[in-house]
Amino acid sequence: MNMYLNKVSPAVEIMSAGFCPHNCSYCYIPKSPLLESVHREIIEYIKDGSIFRRLKNAYGDSLEHIGLWGTEPTITLDYIGEQIPYMVELFPNLKSIDFSTSMITNPDFTCRFIDKLVPFGIDLNIQVSLDGPEWITDINREAGATEKVIENLFYIVEYLNKKSLSDTNITFRWKATHSIENIREQIENPRLITEYVDFFKGLEQRFKDTNKNRNVGMLYGSYSPTLVLPGKYTSEDGKDFARYINLCHRSGLCTTYCGRLSRLVTFSPVLYKRRQFTCSAADSNFGFSKFIHMCHRTYFLSYDNYIEAVLKNETSVKDVDNWDVTVFEKGHLGNIRRNFIVDPNNEFETIRFLYTMRGYHDYWAFDLNALLAMIVELAEADQLHPEYKKNKDLCVLLAGFVLSALSCPAENLMNTGNIHIPPFSSLRMFGNGAIQEILKEEAKKWDQR
Amino acid sequence: MGSALKYKEENDKLIESFLGRTFFKVWKDGGNPNFQSLEIMVNAYCNMSCQYCYLNRYQQQLFPDDSCDRDKIMRNLAIFFDWLIENDYKPKIELFSGELFSQEIGFQILEMILYKLAPHYSSSVVVPTNFSFVLDRNRYDRVIDILERSRKVGFPIYLSASFDGKYCEDQRPFKFQEIGKYEDYGRIWKWKYNDKKNLKDDYFYNEAFKLAKKYGFGFHPMIYSKNIEKWKDNFLWFQDMLKKYDIPFHSVYLLEVRNVEWSAKQIYEFGEFIKFLIDWSWKFVGYDIGRYRDFLFKLKGFNILSSPLTRVGRGIGCSVQSSIYLRPGDLTIGPCHRQCYKHLNSARFKVEEGKIVGLEALNPEYLIVQTSFQAVNQPYCYTCPIKYVCSFGCLGSQYEATGDNFTPIPTVCALEHMKIRAMIEKYEEIGILGQVLENTSKEKRDSFMLLREVLRR
């Protein structure tokens, strides 16, 4: 029995869906008809409970939080719901289940799933992917998506109004993702930023007005937009992004990146605990399918036929520009599959994987050294704001920010072949004026305090 | 222009800016010795299959077949050398492969260097070789001929002897099963030697040492886990041979193989060998601390005894930060000969109409980080008490064992700890620890003293 994960982590993200009916423009999963066979395999391991038994072997009783990941998680909620009693039996400390949904699928999946959770007092956290009003969400997703998301969300809220949830709490939060094209549109027409804020404020007000259940809540203000990361950003993109952040601040919209910088500053006395500033991948959380992953990001990379199809461009949509297939071709895949997707029955490999990942979460020095060198070279090549040529403190701040606020060892692996090294893309995006904008905004708040 | 295209263009410009400010600038104007070298990684072909060799284990990933085509290699090298000349670049050159002199292409490349580069500038070429060419009269004569001519044209070829010594040769068998790949060379061996296990007999070693004496070549045997218990005898044999051929005793560069496979028992044996080496050297210098310090710091202490005590002017002692590594078959710049995996390769030269017209970035992030990193900052190393006196692991080996190029291998860490422990214990026993440390940096001295206290308790 391999029980290594129980010593380090109370949380897991299981691969609970392999197929998605949608084609969101920024999705990191290249679509292929072969995803349907992946999906069937997933349904099988949920229905026969083998995924949970494997989890039990790895985590023992320690598991407290389960995230449902893969593609669109709601399409297998009925199968997961059937297994809730078994899950509770295996994991007596289970406290919550999370998922992030497009909210475009049938909302009854979610309602029925909540019904299954209530007898066991398990909490549910639902992240609703909504990028903004029609002019942004319908472009990123599909025509009519915005309306559908809102309709489904309030369908669920009204359903919950009629239910007694006992000890179960349901929390909604937003997840808005903006591409560089979305950002440019808002720069050209800054009125759209105000419209964006008003749109979410209106929805939150409607939520307050509609929701009658004390066990149901929302994380208000969570609509602050996030970037498609890591992307393939240029220095021009970075300059536009800085302008956009400036406009957001002027419109009273504080981006999520302000909070992330603030966290770095606020918790600076405990900077020696790097894990407090890195993402949870292979630290407090793991990805789990038939294999152990650092997180959900590498699930699909373990499927040979699927990868082969993607490499041959046998995708369901001919135009694959939105999916970064190039990283599949660069040879990064072999590295990830060999070293960062681990058979849970292989004790030696599991220990090696944990050892290597701890090096990411517990040490700053190498990564800071790496980022500073990258910043210096970008500045020398005139691909960063000129200030980086003379202001060492700013260089350190940018390095620290990228290493903490954008911490993602999986994306690092996909792009540079190394968990410690982020792509230049992130530095170009935040190193062309954005950090200064964020800093100015945060400084105002610090002054006020 | 699309964003993806612009992104690629910026990465190309970045790698040109980086190499232009560092290696290419020094190749042209001189300066920082860290940026002077070019290593040409010809291919992976070798007539031996040494048990610890990375090529023996990862040949296909490091040198895919399409990068080993002989015609392509020669054509691309001609283009590359023209580019060096056109830009007035004058790098020092090392030629790396499996075994260069077991292939016709090895001679052809050396001829091309003498023909194309020697008229343009004076430098040198270093070729590590297993010296197996001395077993074949025809090859031997050709090697001598090219060595002589290289000296006449002011571009001397230096060989570095890559054999481990009489007592450790069983870890370096010949590849008889692949004779076809090595032209007629293998057939001669087969005819001449019926006993395949004893190819490297006294004739072989005598010829190799004679050559080393004549041209001043050095030896770089690898200390491998497998035969570590034989190394005391092996070292004494090396010294006997050096004495026999009147070669300075310090001409042996000892380097431990930093692969994952060291066992606890082998690590212990390694420590015993280090102690033996100190005892032998101390006796050799007549128990004179002045001469001993000269041996350590001027004559380089067989490398293995001096490396914990001396500093290198870069972040890691090996050459990953001081060479450009070119795989000529596809004109790819890789991080080093042990790391030229597809996903880690740094850049590729763009060729149009037979001329190099620029660089295409492949993984510029990795190259820049590798060139600038400090090994003391590696994860785990950062908090290690021997970080200032450690020789550190090999990045390629670390990748093979841990999945991350910058994560140390625990068994290699144990090996390095044992080296330092053995040094402290032996120098303490002899009573010269303080004197040995006199000329070292403060951080190295402090590390040794701290570790001495730990050992005492």
Side-chain angles (χ1 to χ4, degrees):
Chain A
M1 188 188 289
N2 180 349
M3 294 271 274
Y4 293 100
L5 305 193
N6 73 343
K7 293 183 175 63
V8 291
S9 166
V12 73
E13 294 172 347
I14 62 169
M15 187 183 191
S16 71
F19 167 74
C20 183
H22 311 296
N23 278 322
C24 302
S25 61
Y26 45 66
C27 180
Y28 62 84
I29 303 164
K31 302 295 185 294
S32 156
L34 281 165
L35 286 179
E36 288 181 37
S37 67
V38 174
H39 190 63
R40 280 195 295 277
E41 184 188 303
I42 290 169
I43 290 173
E44 202 53 44
Y45 70 49
I46 295 171
K47 280 169 80 176
D48 67 17
S50 56
I51 177 84
F52 305 111
R53 284 189 290 280
R54 282 199 296 272
L55 268 179
K56 177 75 176 180
N57 281 343
Y59 280 84
D61 290 345
S62 70
L63 197 62
E64 295 177 14
H65 311 284
I66 295 179
L68 307 178
W69 286 83
T71 50
E72 169 55 47
T74 56
I75 59 176
T76 54
L77 281 183
D78 280 347
Y79 302 110
I80 300 271
E82 287 301 316
Q83 296 290 347
I84 294 291
Y86 185 47
M87 289 161 73
V88 171
E89 185 189 323
L90 291 176
F91 310 113
N93 296 310
L94 185 62
K95 291 178 181 150
S96 72
I97 293 179
D98 306 358
F99 61 78
S100 180
T101 171
S102 68
M103 204 48 102
I104 307 176
T105 51
N106 184 348
D108 286 330
F109 292 146
T110 304
C111 296
R112 287 200 291 269
F113 186 66
I114 291 170
D115 289 344
K116 300 280 186 187
L117 294 177
V118 173
F120 301 98
I122 296 169
D123 293 341
L124 178 66
N125 301 306
I126 303 175
Q127 181 169 270
V128 180
S129 279
L130 183 63
D131 301 335
E134 285 86 348
W135 52 265
I136 185 163
T137 301
D138 285 14
I139 298 297
N140 289 350
R141 305 274 168 88
E142 60 194 42
T146 316
E147 194 185 339
K148 195 76 187 160
V149 172
I150 296 167
E151 183 188 318
N152 287 346
L153 171 66
F154 286 100
Y155 176 91
I156 296 168
V157 174
E158 285 185 9
Y159 176 81
L160 294 175
N161 279 343
K162 295 174 243 163
K163 304 289 291 184
S164 165
L165 294 177
S166 187
D167 291 333
T168 293
N169 294 301
I170 316 286
T171 308
F172 293 92
R173 60 176 296 155
W174 309 109
K175 172 80 165 82
T177 308
H178 288 191
S179 67
I180 190 67
E181 290 77 20
N182 301 146
I183 286 169
R184 291 214 171 93
E185 195 179 358
Q186 293 170 80
I187 295 170
E188 280 167 25
N189 185 359
R191 188 182 49 80
L192 291 177
I193 297 174
T194 314
E195 199 180 297
Y196 173 87
V197 175
D198 291 346
F199 169 79
F200 276 106
K201 280 188 174 166
L203 284 178
E204 290 186 349
Q205 187 56 53
R206 185 175 159 193
F207 183 88
K208 283 176 194 164
D209 296 341
T210 309
N211 176 34
K212 308 292 178 207
N213 194 324
R214 283 196 305 178
N215 289 36
V216 178
M218 169 169 274
L219 203 58
Y220 297 115
S222 55
Y223 52 80
S224 171
T226 55
L227 273 171
V228 177
L229 282 173
K232 285 181 183 288
Y233 297 123
T234 64
S235 46
E236 282 306 311
D237 295 334
K239 286 170 193 164
D240 284 343
F241 183 55
R243 278 196 283 277
Y244 169 68
I245 289 192
N246 177 282
L247 290 169
C248 285
H249 292 163
R250 282 205 247 159
S251 306
L253 172 63
C254 195
T255 67
T256 180
Y257 302 110
C258 286
R260 296 189 199 183
L261 179 71
S262 178
R263 189 182 59 165
L264 194 60
V265 175
T266 308
F267 293 101
S268 56
V270 288
L271 270 173
Y272 62 89
K273 290 184 193 170
R274 191 185 173 199
R275 62 176 298 197
Q276 200 159 317
F277 302 89
T278 54
C279 80
S280 60
D283 178 32
S284 58
N285 193 19
F286 286 82
F288 220 89
S289 60
K290 287 186 295 184
F291 303 101
I292 301 172
H293 303 252
M294 64 174 80
C295 68
H296 58 273
R297 182 65 181 87
T298 59
Y299 283 156
F300 292 92
L301 305 184
S302 61
Y303 289 91
D304 296 336
N305 293 344
Y306 166 69
I307 293 299
E308 215 172 286
V310 172
L311 286 174
K312 287 182 185 166
N313 207 6
E314 289 170 3
T315 49
S316 58
V317 178
K318 287 291 171 205
D319 176 10
V320 293
D321 278 355
N322 293 325
W323 301 309
D324 193 3
V325 178
T326 57
V327 293
F328 285 65
E329 291 160 348
K330 278 186 186 168
H332 293 296
L333 204 57
N335 172 32
I336 294 169
R337 289 166 59 129
R338 199 164 44 248
N339 296 310
F340 295 94
I341 299 177
V342 182
D343 178 354
N345 297 315
N346 187 331
E347 197 174 325
F348 179 83
E349 276 298 290
T350 308
I351 293 170
R352 178 198 58 73
F353 170 65
L354 293 175
Y355 167 72
T356 300
M357 290 306 299
R358 285 256 54 86
Y360 175 79
H361 290 291
D362 292 344
Y363 293 89
W364 279 104
F366 175 83
D367 301 46
L368 271 172
N369 183 161
L371 267 282
L372 287 172
M374 291 166 74
I375 289 168
V376 166
E377 289 308 323
L378 279 169
E380 286 291 338
D382 296 324
Q383 294 180 15
L384 286 191
H385 192 284
E387 189 70 15
Y388 289 95
K389 279 189 185 169
K390 49 191 178 188
N391 189 337
K392 282 184 187 165
D393 290 341
L394 192 64
C395 294
V396 173
L397 185 71
L398 175 62
F401 178 83
V402 169
L403 288 175
S404 56
L406 310 179
S407 163
C408 183
E411 280 299 348
N412 293 353
L413 263 183
M414 293 291 286
N415 287 277
T416 68
N418 189 280
I419 51 172
H420 300 279
I421 309 175
F424 281 124
S425 180
S426 310
L427 290 168
R428 290 194 186 106
M429 203 55 166
F430 284 87
N432 276 292
I435 281 290
Q436 288 99 317
E437 290 296 340
I438 295 167
L439 200 55
K440 263 192 269 172
E441 187 66 13
E442 282 304 292
K444 273 189 227 162
K445 289 183 206 161
W446 299 330
D447 285 346
Q448 282 164 14
R449 278 178 220 155
Chain B
M1 187 185 287
S3 193
L5 270 178
K6 192 113 196 292
Y7 174 79
K8 194 178 170 326
E9 190 185 273
E10 282 202 330
N11 275 354
D12 292 352
K13 279 185 185 160
L14 183 67
I15 204 111
E16 283 183 5
S17 157
F18 172 65
L19 293 175
R21 290 193 314 106
T22 53
F23 289 92
F24 296 166
K25 184 172 188 302
V26 173
W27 288 0
K28 188 168 188 160
D29 305 330
N32 191 339
N34 278 341
F35 298 135
Q36 286 176 353
S37 296
L38 163 71
E39 183 178 307
I40 300 172
M41 311 176 287
V42 178
N43 58 30
Y45 296 147
C46 187
N47 54 0
M48 295 172 75
S49 53
C50 306
Q51 289 168 357
Y52 51 75
C53 178
Y54 58 95
L55 288 177
N56 200 23
R57 300 177 183 187
Y58 304 101
Q59 175 174 336
Q60 267 306 312
Q61 290 114 297
L62 297 167
F63 288 89
D65 287 344
D66 59 354
S67 71
C68 295
D69 180 273
R70 194 159 80 174
D71 293 338
K72 269 192 202 166
I73 292 172
M74 293 310 293
R75 199 166 52 239
N76 286 344
L77 269 181
I79 292 170
F80 180 75
F81 289 162
D82 285 343
W83 175 80
L84 287 180
I85 293 164
E86 193 182 309
N87 288 284
D88 202 22
Y89 292 153
K90 300 164 183 169
K92 288 182 178 173
I93 295 176
E94 283 201 43
L95 274 188
F96 239 75
S97 71
E99 171 54 37
L100 208 69
F101 295 121
S102 73
Q103 315 167 60
E104 192 55 33
I105 196 173
F107 291 96
Q108 290 172 346
I109 292 171
L110 287 169
E111 292 291 352
M112 193 192 280
I113 289 172
L114 299 190
Y115 164 73
K116 272 188 175 284
L117 297 184
H120 170 60
Y121 71 105
S122 291
S123 186
S124 59
V125 189
V126 176
V127 183
T129 167
N130 60 29
F131 267 70
S132 53
F133 63 84
V134 303
L135 295 170
D136 175 343
R137 200 71 234 174
N138 175 38
R139 300 267 161 168
Y140 179 85
D141 290 345
R142 288 180 70 187
V143 172
I144 297 296
D145 174 58
I146 205 160
L147 291 178
E148 290 294 332
R149 282 189 291 118
S150 72
R151 277 151 183 78
K152 281 180 191 155
V153 297
F155 217 107
I157 297 166
Y158 293 104
L159 308 186
S160 181
S162 178
F163 49 72
D164 293 347
K166 191 172 183 176
Y167 289 80
C168 297
E169 285 301 348
D170 64 331
Q171 66 205 26
R172 295 169 62 89
F174 278 98
K175 274 184 196 165
F176 280 105
Q177 70 278 18
E178 289 187 34
I179 281 165
K181 276 191 178 174
Y182 305 105
E183 297 140 24
D184 62 341
Y185 199 15
R187 284 203 296 278
I188 293 165
W189 293 330
K190 251 192 171 172
W191 167 77
K192 200 168 173 182
Y193 296 92
N194 291 323
D195 179 6
K196 292 175 187 174
K197 286 178 190 164
N198 191 26
L199 271 173
K200 292 189 178 169
D201 56 10
D202 288 345
Y203 169 79
F204 167 81
Y205 286 115
N206 284 329
E207 289 301 307
F209 275 81
K210 261 188 234 168
L211 261 187
K213 169 65 183 171
K214 182 176 177 188
Y215 292 100
F217 301 149
F219 303 86
H220 65 272
M222 303 299 293
I223 300 178
Y224 185 43
S225 47
K226 185 182 168 189
N227 280 317
I228 181 64
E229 71 284 354
K230 296 178 184 168
W231 251 98
K232 291 175 191 169
D233 289 336
N234 202 46
F235 175 79
L236 292 175
W237 172 86
F238 259 108
Q239 287 302 330
D240 284 347
M241 292 298 281
L242 293 173
K243 196 173 176 186
K244 180 177 173 185
Y245 288 94
D246 192 27
I247 299 171
F249 81 100
H250 56 82
S251 305
V252 189
Y253 184 97
L254 299 176
L255 196 63
E256 62 275 33
V257 175
R258 280 163 255 188
N259 285 353
V260 68
E261 55 262 28
W262 286 88
S263 69
K265 186 172 181 302
Q266 289 165 336
I267 290 169
Y268 172 80
E269 288 293 340
F270 176 74
E272 292 302 296
F273 174 65
I274 294 292
K275 288 179 181 173
F276 163 83
L277 210 52
I278 293 171
D279 268 337
W280 185 92
S281 315
W282 180 234
K283 187 178 174 190
F284 187 87
V285 298
Y287 311 108
D288 178 324
I289 187 64
R291 287 182 65 203
Y292 189 75
R293 278 211 299 254
D294 283 349
F295 155 70
L296 282 180
F297 299 109
K298 291 182 182 163
L299 303 177
K300 301 196 173 160
F302 305 129
N303 171 61
I304 206 163
L305 294 182
S306 68
S307 72
L309 305 169
T310 54
R311 298 169 87 160
V312 285
R314 46 184 190 269
I316 189 165
C318 79
S319 60
V320 292
Q321 296 182 332
S322 59
S323 270
I324 292 256
Y325 293 84
L326 177 76
R327 192 170 65 190
D330 51 7
L331 281 177
T332 293
I333 295 176
C336 78
H337 48 254
R338 196 163 176 169
Q339 296 182 89
C340 47
Y341 292 95
K342 189 177 179 186
H343 66 287
L344 295 177
N345 283 331
S346 324
R348 186 178 294 128
F349 284 99
K350 292 191 264 193
V351 176
E352 282 175 18
E353 295 174 359
K355 290 191 84 170
I356 287 175
V357 293
L359 276 166
E360 177 194 2
L362 300 173
N363 191 341
E365 289 93 344
Y366 189 82
L367 179 66
I368 287 168
V369 169
Q370 181 187 269
T371 310
S372 64
F373 90 105
Q374 296 287 322
V376 291
N377 288 340
Q378 289 184 123
Y380 299 101
C381 298
Y382 188 68
T383 46
C384 176
I386 71 160
K387 68 176 172 179
Y388 293 120
V389 291
C390 184
S391 304
F392 296 104
C394 155
L395 301 189
S397 180
Q398 289 183 171
Y399 172 71
E400 292 153 14
T402 70
D404 174 48
N405 308 59
F406 303 105
T407 297
I409 303 167
T411 50
V412 176
C413 295
L415 185 74
E416 293 302 311
H417 276 256
M418 180 56 87
K419 188 205 286 182
I420 304 303
R421 176 182 181 152
M423 288 174 76
I424 292 171
E425 287 179 349
K426 183 47 77 177
Y427 287 136
E428 279 270 89
E429 184 191 316
I430 299 173
I432 58 171
L433 180 63
Q435 290 152 301
V436 164
L437 296 176
E438 245 172 47
N439 295 344
T440 59
S441 66
K442 183 178 182 305
E443 65 219 14
K444 284 182 184 288
R445 260 195 324 272
D446 289 349
S447 298
F448 270 102
M449 290 309 171
L450 170 76
L451 291 161
R452 186 186 64 170
E453 284 311 301
V454 172
L455 287 174
R456 279 180 177 175
R457 285 174 201 180

